[in-house]
Amino acid sequence: MGKEKPKVQSILESVFISAIDKLSKADAGRLVGELYIQLDMSTGEIQVYDDQEILLEKNIIFDWADRSEKGLRSYKQPVHFIRVALAGLKSKKVFDNPVFMRPLTILLVDDNFNEIEMIYMLEDVDAVSEGRLMKNLEHELQIFSKKLFADME
């Protein structure tokens, strides 16, 4: 299994890079906030769709085909591999593409595009930092107000 992991990760990364390239070339003014992933565990096929349910890329990962697990359990290992691949792509700044809104949510969906599981979410780092800053400022403002109006209490 250890030898298969880099091969699977490489395939997954290439699927997502190809899908992102297609999004970038498709419509310059469009922003995407969600990507949908469908898995067919009987064939090992992964399909990536944009938020308008347009197929961007697909590929077959033979290591996933005909697994003995059934139902949601069959998705556990493939979802793990997808998460690892997405984290690798994030570190390579692949998702810094201007076509993506924040937060960008990547969802595992069924054939009808009903959500099965959220696989990954990319948030805007500046917004998170700003939120923490505002909490600290609010606390400091409360302390300042108490000191300022101490004689009125």
Side-chain angles (χ1 to χ4, degrees), residues 42-60:
S42 63
T43 63
E45 185 173 60
I46 179 173
Q47 299 176 344
V48 180
Y49 293 84
D50 67 6
D51 54 3
Q52 295 178 351
E53 299 177 8
I54 297 171
L55 179 64
L56 299 171
E57 188 61 39
K58 65 181 179 177
N59 203 332
I60 294 176

Side-chain angles (χ1 to χ4, degrees), residues 109-125:
V109 296
D110 64 14
D111 292 340
N112 297 319
F113 291 91
N114 296 316
E115 180 180 342
I116 296 172
E117 180 178 351
M118 182 175 65
I119 294 180
Y120 208 76
M121 179 183 275
L122 296 164
E123 296 186 88
D124 190 358
V125 176

